[in-house]
Amino acid sequence: MRPYLITAKPGRLNRAARWAGRWALKALALLVMAVLGVLVLAVRSARPVINYTATRAAWLELWAASVTGIGPVGAAIGSGLTDEFIREFHRARTGAPA
């Protein structure tokens, strides 16, 4: 008769540590998802305020340009930035592997 290798099952402490580690990882994942959700909600909620502020700032710049006679600088800079964003987005969209 050949002797067989008998392996002991993990002890209570080992099983408890694994269980605690597994649940700690799950809790950490849930916490990360909750923080990201709150961040997304904050950004989405602030978007109308940002849009209103940008509209008012553009109106104020046009008003100041009409009063001072100096052309609106923000429009020239903004259009250049918009064109660059469009080029970069198109490059990323067409160059990405499927």
Side-chain angles (χ1 to χ4, degrees):
M1 188 122 201
R2 305 186 85 182
Y4 290 100
L5 179 64
I6 299 173
T7 57
K9 63 181 187 177
R12 283 187 184 176
L13 190 59
N14 191 351
R15 285 185 302 188
R18 281 177 139 179
W19 182 85
R22 197 173 298 127
W23 279 101
L25 186 62
K26 288 180 182 181
L28 181 64
L30 183 64
L31 179 68
V32 167
M33 287 188 287
V35 167
L36 288 175
V38 167
L39 184 66
V40 167
L41 180 65
V43 168
R44 289 187 67 137
S45 298
R47 190 171 178 188
V49 175
I50 293 169
N51 286 344
Y52 177 77
T53 306
T55 303
R56 288 289 128 200
W59 179 85
L60 182 62
E61 182 187 19
L62 290 176
W63 173 81
S66 69
V67 170
T68 61
I70 302 171
V73 178
I77 294 172
S79 65
L81 283 175
T82 302
D83 292 341
E84 182 59 34
F85 281 133
I86 290 171
R87 275 194 299 275
E88 183 65 30
F89 174 74
H90 180 69
R91 190 178 315 131
R93 189 171 53 96
T94 57

Coordinates of all heavy atoms in Angstrom, one line a residue:
M1 N 0.8 -1.2 0.0 CA 0.0 0.0 0.0 C 0.9 1.2 0.0 O 1.8 1.3 0.8 CB -0.9 0.0 1.3 CG -1.9 1.0 1.3 SD -3.4 0.2 1.5 CE -4.5 1.3 0.9
R2 N 0.6 2.2 -0.9 CA 1.4 3.4 -1.0 C 0.8 4.5 -0.1 O -0.4 4.7 -0.1 CB 1.4 3.8 -2.4 CG 1.9 2.7 -3.3 CD 2.1 3.2 -4.7 NE 3.4 3.8 -4.8 CZ 3.9 4.3 -5.8 NH1 3.3 4.4 -6.9 NH2 5.1 4.8 -5.8
P3 N 1.6 5.2 0.5 CA 1.1 6.3 1.3 C 0.7 7.5 0.5 O 1.3 7.8 -0.5 CB 2.3 6.7 2.2 CG 3.5 6.2 1.5 CD 3.0 5.0 0.7
Y4 N -0.4 8.1 0.8 CA -0.9 9.2 0.0 C -0.6 10.5 0.8 O -0.6 10.5 2.0 CB -2.4 9.2 -0.2 CG -2.8 8.1 -1.2 CD1 -3.2 6.9 -0.7 CD2 -2.6 8.3 -2.5 CE1 -3.6 5.9 -1.6 CE2 -3.0 7.3 -3.4 CZ -3.4 6.1 -2.9 OH -3.8 5.1 -3.8
L5 N -0.3 11.6 0.0 CA -0.1 12.9 0.7 C -1.4 13.5 1.1 O -2.3 13.7 0.3 CB 0.6 13.8 -0.3 CG 0.9 15.2 0.2 CD1 1.9 15.1 1.4 CD2 1.5 16.1 -0.9
I6 N -1.6 13.7 2.3 CA -2.8 14.2 2.8 C -2.6 15.7 3.1 O -1.7 16.0 3.9 CB -3.3 13.5 4.1 CG1 -3.5 12.0 3.8 CG2 -4.5 14.1 4.7 CD1 -3.8 11.2 5.0
T7 N -3.3 16.5 2.5 CA -3.2 18.0 2.7 C -4.3 18.4 3.6 O -5.5 18.1 3.5 CB -3.3 18.7 1.3 OG1 -4.5 18.4 0.7 CG2 -2.1 18.4 0.4
A8 N -3.9 19.2 4.5 CA -4.9 19.8 5.5 C -5.6 20.9 4.8 O -5.0 21.7 4.1 CB -4.1 20.2 6.7
K9 N -6.8 21.1 5.1 CA -7.5 22.2 4.6 C -7.1 23.5 5.4 O -6.6 23.3 6.5 CB -9.1 22.0 4.7 CG -9.6 21.9 6.0 CD -11.1 21.6 5.9 CE -11.8 21.7 7.2 NZ -13.2 21.5 7.1
P10 N -7.3 24.6 4.8 CA -6.8 25.8 5.5 C -7.4 26.0 6.8 O -8.6 25.7 7.0 CB -7.2 27.0 4.5 CG -7.4 26.3 3.2 CD -7.8 24.9 3.5
G11 N -6.6 26.5 7.7 CA -7.1 26.8 9.1 C -8.2 27.9 9.1 O -8.4 28.6 8.2
R12 N -8.8 28.0 10.3 CA -9.8 29.0 10.5 C -9.3 30.4 10.3 O -9.9 31.3 9.7 CB -10.4 28.9 11.9 CG -11.4 27.8 12.0 CD -12.0 27.9 13.3 NE -12.9 26.7 13.5 CZ -13.6 26.5 14.6 NH1 -13.5 27.3 15.6 NH2 -14.4 25.5 14.7
L13 N -8.1 30.7 10.8 CA -7.5 32.0 10.7 C -7.2 32.3 9.2 O -7.5 33.4 8.7 CB -6.2 32.1 11.5 CG -5.5 33.4 11.7 CD1 -6.5 34.4 12.3 CD2 -4.3 33.3 12.4
N14 N -6.7 31.4 8.5 CA -6.4 31.6 7.0 C -7.7 31.8 6.3 O -7.7 32.8 5.4 CB -5.7 30.3 6.5 CG -5.1 30.6 5.1 OD1 -5.4 31.6 4.5 ND2 -4.4 29.6 4.6
R15 N -8.7 31.1 6.5 CA -10.0 31.3 5.8 C -10.6 32.6 6.2 O -11.2 33.3 5.4 CB -11.0 30.1 6.2 CG -10.6 28.9 5.4 CD -11.7 27.8 5.7 NE -11.7 27.6 7.1 CZ -12.4 26.6 7.7 NH1 -13.1 25.8 7.0 NH2 -12.4 26.5 9.0
A16 N -10.5 33.0 7.5 CA -11.1 34.3 7.9 C -10.3 35.5 7.3 O -10.9 36.4 6.8 CB -11.0 34.4 9.4
A17 N -9.0 35.3 7.1 CA -8.2 36.4 6.5 C -8.6 36.5 5.0 O -8.7 37.6 4.5 CB -6.7 36.1 6.7
R18 N -8.7 35.4 4.3 CA -9.1 35.4 2.9 C -10.5 36.0 2.8 O -10.7 36.8 1.9 CB -9.2 34.0 2.3 CG -7.8 33.5 2.0 CD -8.0 32.1 1.5 NE -7.1 31.8 0.4 CZ -7.0 30.7 -0.2 NH1 -7.8 29.7 0.2 NH2 -6.2 30.5 -1.2
W19 N -11.4 35.6 3.6 CA -12.8 36.2 3.6 C -12.8 37.7 3.8 O -13.4 38.5 3.1 CB -13.7 35.5 4.6 CG -15.1 36.0 4.6 CD1 -16.1 35.5 3.8 CD2 -15.6 37.0 5.4 NE1 -17.2 36.2 4.1 CE2 -17.0 37.1 5.1 CE3 -15.1 37.8 6.4 CZ2 -17.8 38.0 5.7 CZ3 -16.0 38.8 7.0 CH2 -17.3 38.9 6.7
A20 N -12.0 38.1 4.8 CA -11.9 39.6 5.1 C -11.2 40.3 3.9 O -11.7 41.4 3.6 CB -11.1 39.8 6.4
G21 N -10.2 39.7 3.4 CA -9.5 40.4 2.2 C -10.4 40.5 1.0 O -10.5 41.5 0.3
R22 N -11.2 39.5 0.8 CA -12.1 39.5 -0.4 C -13.2 40.6 -0.2 O -13.5 41.3 -1.1 CB -12.8 38.1 -0.5 CG -13.4 37.9 -1.8 CD -13.9 36.4 -2.0 NE -12.8 35.5 -1.9 CZ -12.8 34.5 -1.1 NH1 -13.8 34.2 -0.3 NH2 -11.8 33.6 -1.1
W23 N -13.8 40.7 1.0 CA -14.8 41.7 1.3 C -14.2 43.1 1.3 O -14.9 44.0 1.0 CB -15.6 41.3 2.5 CG -16.6 40.3 2.2 CD1 -16.6 39.0 2.4 CD2 -17.8 40.5 1.5 NE1 -17.7 38.4 1.9 CE2 -18.5 39.3 1.3 CE3 -18.4 41.7 0.9 CZ2 -19.7 39.2 0.6 CZ3 -19.7 41.5 0.3 CH2 -20.3 40.3 0.1
A24 N -13.0 43.2 1.8 CA -12.3 44.5 1.8 C -12.1 45.0 0.3 O -12.3 46.2 0.0 CB -11.0 44.4 2.5
L25 N -11.7 44.1 -0.5 CA -11.6 44.4 -2.0 C -12.9 44.8 -2.6 O -13.0 45.8 -3.3 CB -10.9 43.3 -2.7 CG -10.6 43.5 -4.2 CD1 -9.5 44.6 -4.2 CD2 -10.0 42.3 -4.8
K26 N -14.0 44.1 -2.3 CA -15.3 44.4 -2.8 C -15.7 45.8 -2.3 O -16.3 46.6 -3.0 CB -16.3 43.4 -2.4 CG -16.1 42.1 -3.1 CD -17.2 41.1 -2.7 CE -17.0 39.7 -3.4 NZ -18.0 38.7 -3.0
A27 N -15.5 46.1 -1.0 CA -15.9 47.3 -0.4 C -15.1 48.5 -1.0 O -15.6 49.6 -1.3 CB -15.7 47.3 1.1
L28 N -13.8 48.2 -1.3 CA -13.0 49.3 -2.0 C -13.5 49.5 -3.4 O -13.6 50.7 -3.8 CB -11.5 48.8 -2.0 CG -10.5 49.8 -2.6 CD1 -10.4 51.1 -1.8 CD2 -9.2 49.1 -2.7
A29 N -13.8 48.5 -4.1 CA -14.4 48.7 -5.5 C -15.7 49.4 -5.4 O -15.9 50.3 -6.3 CB -14.6 47.3 -6.1
L30 N -16.5 49.1 -4.5 CA -17.8 49.9 -4.3 C -17.5 51.3 -4.0 O -18.2 52.2 -4.5 CB -18.6 49.2 -3.3 CG -20.0 49.8 -3.0 CD1 -20.9 49.6 -4.3 CD2 -20.7 49.2 -1.9
L31 N -16.6 51.6 -3.1 CA -16.2 53.0 -2.8 C -15.7 53.7 -4.0 O -16.1 54.9 -4.2 CB -15.2 53.0 -1.6 CG -14.7 54.3 -1.2 CD1 -15.9 55.1 -0.5 CD2 -13.5 54.2 -0.3
V32 N -14.9 53.1 -4.8 CA -14.3 53.8 -6.0 C -15.5 54.1 -6.9 O -15.5 55.2 -7.5 CB -13.3 52.9 -6.6 CG1 -12.9 53.4 -8.0 CG2 -12.0 52.9 -5.8
M33 N -16.4 53.1 -7.1 CA -17.5 53.4 -8.0 C -18.4 54.5 -7.5 O -18.9 55.3 -8.3 CB -18.3 52.1 -8.2 CG -17.6 51.1 -9.1 SD -18.6 49.7 -9.5 CE -18.6 48.8 -8.0
A34 N -18.6 54.5 -6.2 CA -19.5 55.6 -5.6 C -18.8 57.0 -5.8 O -19.5 57.9 -6.1 CB -19.7 55.3 -4.2
V35 N -17.5 57.0 -5.6 CA -16.8 58.3 -5.7 C -16.9 58.8 -7.2 O -17.1 60.0 -7.4 CB -15.4 58.2 -5.2 CG1 -14.5 59.4 -5.6 CG2 -15.3 58.1 -3.7
L36 N -16.6 57.9 -8.1 CA -16.7 58.2 -9.5 C -18.1 58.7 -9.9 O -18.3 59.6 -10.7 CB -16.3 57.1 -10.4 CG -14.8 56.8 -10.4 CD1 -14.5 55.6 -11.2 CD2 -14.0 58.0 -10.9
G37 N -19.1 58.0 -9.3 CA -20.5 58.4 -9.6 C -20.8 59.8 -9.1 O -21.5 60.6 -9.8
V38 N -20.4 60.1 -7.9 CA -20.6 61.4 -7.3 C -19.8 62.5 -8.2 O -20.4 63.6 -8.4 CB -20.1 61.5 -5.9 CG1 -20.0 62.9 -5.4 CG2 -21.0 60.7 -5.0
L39 N -18.7 62.2 -8.6 CA -17.9 63.1 -9.5 C -18.6 63.4 -10.8 O -18.7 64.5 -11.2 CB -16.5 62.5 -9.7 CG -15.5 63.4 -10.5 CD1 -15.2 64.6 -9.7 CD2 -14.3 62.6 -10.9
V40 N -19.1 62.3 -11.4 CA -19.9 62.5 -12.7 C -21.1 63.3 -12.5 O -21.5 64.2 -13.3 CB -20.2 61.1 -13.3 CG1 -21.2 61.2 -14.4 CG2 -18.9 60.4 -13.8
L41 N -21.8 63.0 -11.4 CA -23.0 63.8 -11.1 C -22.7 65.2 -10.9 O -23.4 66.1 -11.4 CB -23.7 63.2 -9.8 CG -25.0 63.9 -9.4 CD1 -26.1 63.7 -10.5 CD2 -25.5 63.3 -8.1
A42 N -21.6 65.5 -10.2 CA -21.3 66.9 -9.9 C -20.9 67.6 -11.2 O -21.3 68.8 -11.5 CB -20.1 67.0 -9.0
V43 N -20.2 67.0 -12.1 CA -19.8 67.6 -13.4 C -21.1 67.8 -14.2 O -21.2 68.9 -14.9 CB -18.8 66.7 -14.1 CG1 -18.6 67.2 -15.6 CG2 -17.5 66.8 -13.4
R44 N -21.9 66.8 -14.3 CA -23.2 66.9 -15.1 C -24.1 68.0 -14.5 O -24.8 68.7 -15.3 CB -23.9 65.6 -15.2 CG -23.1 64.6 -16.1 CD -23.9 63.4 -16.3 NE -25.0 63.7 -17.1 CZ -25.5 63.0 -18.1 NH1 -24.9 61.9 -18.4 NH2 -26.5 63.4 -18.8
S45 N -24.1 68.1 -13.2 CA -25.0 69.1 -12.6 C -24.4 70.5 -12.8 O -25.2 71.5 -12.9 CB -25.1 68.9 -11.1 OG -25.7 67.6 -10.9
A46 N -23.1 70.7 -12.9 CA -22.5 72.0 -13.0 C -22.5 72.4 -14.5 O -22.2 73.6 -14.8 CB -21.0 71.9 -12.5
R47 N -22.7 71.5 -15.4 CA -22.6 71.9 -16.8 C -23.5 73.1 -17.2 O -23.1 74.0 -17.9 CB -22.9 70.7 -17.7 CG -22.6 70.9 -19.1 CD -22.6 69.6 -19.9 NE -22.4 69.8 -21.3 CZ -22.5 68.9 -22.2 NH1 -22.9 67.7 -21.9 NH2 -22.3 69.2 -23.4
P48 N -24.8 73.1 -16.8 CA -25.7 74.2 -17.2 C -25.1 75.6 -16.6 O -25.2 76.6 -17.3 CB -27.0 73.9 -16.6 CG -27.0 72.4 -16.4 CD -25.6 72.0 -16.2
V49 N -24.6 75.5 -15.4 CA -24.0 76.7 -14.8 C -22.8 77.2 -15.6 O -22.6 78.4 -15.9 CB -23.6 76.5 -13.4 CG1 -22.9 77.7 -12.8 CG2 -24.9 76.1 -12.6
I50 N -22.0 76.2 -16.0 CA -20.8 76.6 -16.8 C -21.2 77.1 -18.2 O -20.6 78.1 -18.7 CB -19.9 75.3 -17.0 CG1 -19.3 74.9 -15.6 CG2 -18.8 75.6 -18.0 CD1 -18.6 73.6 -15.6
N51 N -22.2 76.5 -18.8 CA -22.7 77.0 -20.1 C -23.2 78.4 -20.0 O -23.0 79.3 -20.8 CB -23.7 76.1 -20.7 CG -23.2 74.8 -21.2 OD1 -22.0 74.7 -21.4 ND2 -24.0 73.8 -21.4
Y52 N -24.0 78.7 -18.9 CA -24.6 80.0 -18.7 C -23.4 81.0 -18.5 O -23.5 82.1 -19.1 CB -25.5 80.0 -17.5 CG -26.1 81.4 -17.2 CD1 -27.1 81.9 -18.0 CD2 -25.5 82.1 -16.1 CE1 -27.6 83.2 -17.7 CE2 -26.0 83.4 -15.8 CZ -27.0 83.9 -16.6 OH -27.5 85.1 -16.3
T53 N -22.5 80.7 -17.7 CA -21.3 81.6 -17.4 C -20.5 81.9 -18.7 O -20.1 83.0 -18.9 CB -20.4 80.9 -16.3 OG1 -21.2 80.6 -15.2 CG2 -19.3 81.9 -15.9
A54 N -20.3 80.8 -19.5 CA -19.6 81.0 -20.8 C -20.4 82.0 -21.7 O -19.8 82.8 -22.4 CB -19.3 79.7 -21.4
T55 N -21.7 81.8 -21.7 CA -22.5 82.6 -22.6 C -22.4 84.1 -22.1 O -22.3 85.0 -22.9 CB -24.0 82.1 -22.6 OG1 -24.0 80.8 -23.0 CG2 -24.8 83.0 -23.5
R56 N -22.5 84.3 -20.8 CA -22.5 85.6 -20.3 C -21.1 86.2 -20.5 O -21.0 87.4 -20.8 CB -22.8 85.6 -18.8 CG -24.2 85.4 -18.4 CD -25.0 86.6 -18.8 NE -26.1 86.1 -19.6 CZ -26.8 86.9 -20.4 NH1 -26.6 88.1 -20.6 NH2 -27.8 86.4 -21.1
A57 N -20.0 85.4 -20.4 CA -18.7 85.9 -20.6 C -18.5 86.3 -22.1 O -17.9 87.4 -22.4 CB -17.6 84.9 -20.2
A58 N -19.0 85.6 -23.0 CA -18.9 85.9 -24.4 C -19.7 87.2 -24.7 O -19.3 88.1 -25.4 CB -19.5 84.8 -25.3
W59 N -20.9 87.3 -24.1 CA -21.7 88.5 -24.3 C -20.9 89.7 -23.7 O -20.9 90.8 -24.3 CB -23.0 88.4 -23.6 CG -23.9 89.6 -23.7 CD1 -24.7 89.9 -24.7 CD2 -23.9 90.7 -22.7 NE1 -25.3 91.2 -24.4 CE2 -24.8 91.6 -23.2 CE3 -23.3 90.9 -21.5 CZ2 -25.1 92.8 -22.6 CZ3 -23.6 92.1 -20.8 CH2 -24.5 93.0 -21.4
L60 N -20.3 89.6 -22.5 CA -19.6 90.7 -21.9 C -18.4 91.1 -22.8 O -18.1 92.3 -22.9 CB -19.1 90.3 -20.5 CG -18.3 91.3 -19.7 CD1 -19.2 92.5 -19.4 CD2 -17.9 90.7 -18.4
E61 N -17.7 90.1 -23.4 CA -16.6 90.4 -24.2 C -17.0 91.2 -25.5 O -16.4 92.1 -25.9 CB -15.9 89.1 -24.6 CG -14.7 89.4 -25.5 CD -14.0 88.1 -26.1 OE1 -14.7 87.1 -26.1 OE2 -12.9 88.2 -26.5
L62 N -18.1 90.7 -26.1 CA -18.7 91.5 -27.2 C -19.1 92.9 -26.9 O -18.9 93.8 -27.6 CB -19.8 90.7 -27.9 CG -19.4 89.4 -28.6 CD1 -20.7 88.7 -29.0 CD2 -18.5 89.7 -29.7
W63 N -19.7 93.0 -25.7 CA -20.1 94.4 -25.3 C -18.8 95.2 -25.1 O -18.8 96.4 -25.5 CB -20.9 94.3 -24.0 CG -21.2 95.6 -23.4 CD1 -22.2 96.5 -23.7 CD2 -20.4 96.2 -22.3 NE1 -22.1 97.6 -22.9 CE2 -21.0 97.5 -22.1 CE3 -19.3 95.9 -21.6 CZ2 -20.6 98.4 -21.1 CZ3 -18.9 96.7 -20.6 CH2 -19.5 98.0 -20.4
A64 N -17.8 94.7 -24.4 CA -16.6 95.4 -24.2 C -15.9 95.8 -25.5 O -15.3 96.9 -25.6 CB -15.6 94.6 -23.3
A65 N -15.9 94.9 -26.4 CA -15.3 95.1 -27.7 C -16.1 96.3 -28.5 O -15.4 97.1 -29.1 CB -15.4 93.9 -28.6
S66 N -17.4 96.3 -28.3 CA -18.1 97.4 -29.0 C -17.9 98.7 -28.3 O -17.9 99.8 -29.0 CB -19.6 97.1 -29.0 OG -20.1 97.1 -27.7
V67 N -17.7 98.7 -27.0 CA -17.5 100.0 -26.3 C -16.0 100.5 -26.5 O -15.8 101.7 -26.7 CB -17.7 99.8 -24.7 CG1 -17.2 101.0 -23.9 CG2 -19.2 99.5 -24.5
T68 N -15.0 99.6 -26.4 CA -13.7 100.0 -26.5 C -13.2 100.1 -28.0 O -12.2 100.8 -28.2 CB -12.7 99.1 -25.8 OG1 -12.8 97.8 -26.3 CG2 -13.1 99.0 -24.3
G69 N -13.8 99.4 -28.9 CA -13.3 99.4 -30.3 C -12.3 98.4 -30.5 O -11.8 98.3 -31.7
I70 N -11.9 97.6 -29.5 CA -10.9 96.6 -29.7 C -11.6 95.3 -30.0 O -12.7 95.0 -29.4 CB -10.1 96.4 -28.4 CG1 -9.4 97.6 -28.0 CG2 -9.1 95.2 -28.5 CD1 -8.7 97.6 -26.6
G71 N -11.1 94.6 -31.0 CA -11.8 93.3 -31.4 C -11.9 92.3 -30.3 O -11.0 92.3 -29.4
P72 N -12.8 91.4 -30.4 CA -13.0 90.3 -29.5 C -11.8 89.3 -29.6 O -11.8 88.6 -30.6 CB -14.3 89.7 -29.7 CG -14.6 90.1 -31.1 CD -13.9 91.3 -31.4
V73 N -10.9 89.3 -28.6 CA -9.8 88.4 -28.7 C -10.2 86.9 -28.4 O -9.7 86.0 -29.0 CB -8.7 88.9 -27.7 CG1 -7.5 87.9 -27.7 CG2 -8.3 90.3 -27.9
G74 N -11.1 86.8 -27.5 CA -11.5 85.4 -27.1 C -12.1 84.6 -28.3 O -11.9 83.4 -28.4
A75 N -12.8 85.3 -29.2 CA -13.4 84.6 -30.4 C -12.3 84.1 -31.3 O -12.3 82.9 -31.8 CB -14.2 85.6 -31.2
A76 N -11.2 84.8 -31.5 CA -10.1 84.4 -32.3 C -9.4 83.2 -31.7 O -9.1 82.2 -32.3 CB -9.1 85.5 -32.6
I77 N -9.1 83.3 -30.4 CA -8.4 82.2 -29.6 C -9.4 81.0 -29.6 O -8.9 79.8 -29.8 CB -8.0 82.7 -28.2 CG1 -7.0 83.8 -28.3 CG2 -7.5 81.5 -27.4 CD1 -6.7 84.4 -27.0
G78 N -10.6 81.2 -29.3 CA -11.6 80.1 -29.2 C -11.8 79.3 -30.5 O -11.9 78.1 -30.5
S79 N -11.8 80.0 -31.6 CA -12.0 79.3 -32.9 C -10.8 78.5 -33.2 O -10.9 77.4 -33.7 CB -12.3 80.3 -34.0 OG -11.1 81.1 -34.2
G80 N -9.6 79.0 -32.9 CA -8.4 78.2 -33.1 C -8.3 76.9 -32.2 O -8.0 75.8 -32.6
L81 N -8.8 77.1 -30.9 CA -8.8 75.9 -30.1 C -9.9 74.9 -30.5 O -9.6 73.7 -30.5 CB -9.2 76.4 -28.6 CG -8.0 77.0 -27.8 CD1 -8.6 77.5 -26.5 CD2 -7.0 76.0 -27.6
T82 N -11.0 75.4 -31.0 CA -12.0 74.5 -31.5 C -11.5 73.7 -32.7 O -11.7 72.5 -32.8 CB -13.3 75.3 -31.9 OG1 -13.7 76.0 -30.7 CG2 -14.4 74.4 -32.4
D83 N -10.9 74.4 -33.6 CA -10.3 73.7 -34.8 C -9.3 72.6 -34.4 O -9.3 71.5 -34.9 CB -9.6 74.7 -35.7 CG -10.6 75.6 -36.4 OD1 -11.8 75.3 -36.4 OD2 -10.2 76.7 -36.9
E84 N -8.5 72.9 -33.4 CA -7.5 72.0 -32.9 C -8.1 70.8 -32.3 O -7.7 69.6 -32.5 CB -6.5 72.6 -32.0 CG -5.4 71.7 -31.4 CD -4.5 71.1 -32.5 OE1 -4.3 71.8 -33.6 OE2 -4.1 70.0 -32.4
F85 N -9.2 71.0 -31.5 CA -9.9 69.9 -30.8 C -10.6 69.0 -31.9 O -10.5 67.8 -31.8 CB -11.0 70.4 -29.9 CG -10.4 70.9 -28.6 CD1 -10.8 72.1 -28.0 CD2 -9.6 70.0 -27.8 CE1 -10.3 72.5 -26.8 CE2 -9.1 70.4 -26.6 CZ -9.4 71.6 -26.1
I86 N -11.1 69.6 -32.9 CA -11.8 68.8 -34.0 C -10.7 68.0 -34.7 O -10.9 66.8 -35.0 CB -12.5 69.8 -35.0 CG1 -13.7 70.4 -34.3 CG2 -12.9 69.0 -36.3 CD1 -14.4 71.5 -35.1
R87 N -9.6 68.6 -35.0 CA -8.5 67.8 -35.7 C -8.0 66.6 -34.8 O -7.9 65.5 -35.3 CB -7.3 68.7 -36.0 CG -7.4 69.4 -37.3 CD -6.1 70.0 -37.7 NE -5.6 71.0 -36.8 CZ -5.9 72.3 -36.8 NH1 -6.8 72.8 -37.6 NH2 -5.4 73.1 -35.9
E88 N -7.8 66.9 -33.5 CA -7.4 65.9 -32.6 C -8.4 64.8 -32.4 O -8.1 63.6 -32.4 CB -7.0 66.5 -31.2 CG -6.5 65.5 -30.2 CD -5.1 65.0 -30.6 OE1 -4.4 65.7 -31.3 OE2 -4.8 63.8 -30.2
F89 N -9.7 65.1 -32.3 CA -10.7 64.1 -32.2 C -10.8 63.3 -33.4 O -10.9 62.1 -33.4 CB -12.1 64.8 -31.9 CG -13.2 63.9 -31.9 CD1 -13.4 63.0 -30.9 CD2 -14.1 63.8 -33.0 CE1 -14.5 62.1 -30.9 CE2 -15.2 62.9 -33.0 CZ -15.4 62.1 -31.9
H90 N -10.7 63.9 -34.6 CA -10.8 63.2 -35.9 C -9.6 62.2 -36.0 O -9.7 61.1 -36.4 CB -10.8 64.1 -37.1 CG -10.9 63.4 -38.4 ND1 -12.0 62.7 -38.8 CD2 -10.0 63.3 -39.4 CE1 -11.8 62.2 -40.0 NE2 -10.6 62.5 -40.4
R91 N -8.4 62.7 -35.6 CA -7.2 61.8 -35.6 C -7.4 60.6 -34.7 O -7.0 59.5 -35.0 CB -6.0 62.7 -35.2 CG -4.7 62.0 -35.5 CD -3.5 62.9 -35.1 NE -3.6 64.2 -35.6 CZ -3.4 65.3 -34.8 NH1 -3.1 65.2 -33.6 NH2 -3.5 66.5 -35.3
A92 N -7.9 60.9 -33.5 CA -8.1 59.8 -32.5 C -9.2 58.8 -33.0 O -9.0 57.6 -32.8 CB -8.4 60.3 -31.1
R93 N -10.2 59.3 -33.6 CA -11.3 58.5 -34.0 C -10.9 57.6 -35.2 O -11.3 56.5 -35.3 CB -12.5 59.4 -34.4 CG -13.8 58.6 -34.7 CD -14.9 59.6 -34.8 NE -14.7 60.6 -35.8 CZ -15.1 60.5 -37.1 NH1 -15.8 59.5 -37.5 NH2 -14.8 61.5 -37.9
T94 N -10.1 58.2 -36.2 CA -9.8 57.4 -37.4 C -8.6 56.5 -37.1 O -8.4 55.5 -37.8 CB -9.6 58.3 -38.6 OG1 -8.5 59.3 -38.2 CG2 -10.8 59.0 -38.9
G95 N -7.7 56.9 -36.2 CA -6.5 56.2 -36.0 C -6.6 55.1 -35.0 O -5.6 54.3 -34.8
A96 N -7.7 55.0 -34.3 CA -7.8 54.0 -33.2 C -8.1 52.6 -33.8 O -8.8 52.4 -34.7 CB -9.0 54.3 -32.3
P97 N -7.4 51.6 -33.3 CA -7.6 50.2 -33.8 C -9.0 49.7 -33.4 O -9.4 50.0 -32.3 CB -6.5 49.4 -33.2 CG -6.1 50.2 -32.0 CD -6.3 51.6 -32.3
A98 N -9.6 49.0 -34.3 CA -10.9 48.5 -34.0 C -10.9 47.2 -33.2 O -10.0 46.4 -33.1 CB -11.7 48.2 -35.3

